Amino acid sequence: MKLRSNVVEIRMATEADAQLLAELGSSTFEETFSKDNRREDMELYTTKTFSAEKQLKEIIDPNRRIAIAWIGNNAAGFVHLLKGDSDLSVKGANPIEILRLYVSVRWHGQGVGAALMDRSIQIARDEGFQTLWLGVWERNFKAQSFYRKYGFVTVGQHVFRLGTDDQIDLIMSRAI
Ligand SMILES: CC(C)(COP(=O)(O)OP(=O)(O)OC[C@H]1O[C@@H](n2cnc3c(N)ncnc32)[C@H](O)[C@@H]1OP(=O)(O)O)[C@@H](O)C(=O)NCCC(=O)NCCS
């Protein structure tokens, strides 16, 4: 059954959330990609990307915005926005990247992804950005259709290295 959207609360991550984000990032990444990738590549990537130390650095980085979706006391998902260089295929003005948007499997289909996307758009607009863009694995059809539903279109592609495996990410973007 779908929860009412007001049950999902979005809060900006603080330094106290570093360990939680490390665990949530690693577990959602595993849930999403482990069945389609080699274990060694998954481990190389998650160890490097989702340590608590790295999460702490990212939380306090002024070029990043990280928000966590809460359902009661459960951290159900998170979004990570990055102000940085955009892929050359992104032609929209003032772009900002959705670097990661992940919802735990147990909370899928209950409005968490929508709440995280809405907050991403709000943060980006409030900070004067005009374009949202992201990279999504060419084989992650579920996420691609979620993004299409929110008006993203494919504008290009780039290589994403998972451990030792070079994969193709589609680049998608939309005006905000
Ligand atoms: C993609 C993802 C973020 C969607 O989150 P979610 O919380 O399940 O989505 P919601 O319940 O908020 O759904 C929001 C809307 O998108 C739609 N939607 C959700 N998943 C969809 C899908 N696979 N295809 C099409 N539409 C989808 C829903 O129907 C809903 O629309 P509605 O309000 O008209 O009913 C989630 O499945 C996820 O985290 N997947 C694993 C991680 C991942 O792949 N992240 C992206 C990496 S680039």
Side-chain angles (χ1 to χ4, degrees), residues 2 32 101-103 108-111 113-114 140 142 145 147 149:
K2 197 158 186 165
T32 310
L101 195 160
Y102 288 98
V103 178
H108 278 187
Q110 305 193 46
N140 189 352
K142 189 172 168 182
S145 40
Y147 293 131
K149 184 177 167 64

Side-chain angles (χ1 to χ4, degrees), residues 66-84:
I66 303 176
I68 300 174
W70 292 90
I71 297 179
N73 292 325
N74 300 292
F78 70 99
V79 66
H80 181 149
L81 302 179
L82 176 63
K83 310 178 197 180

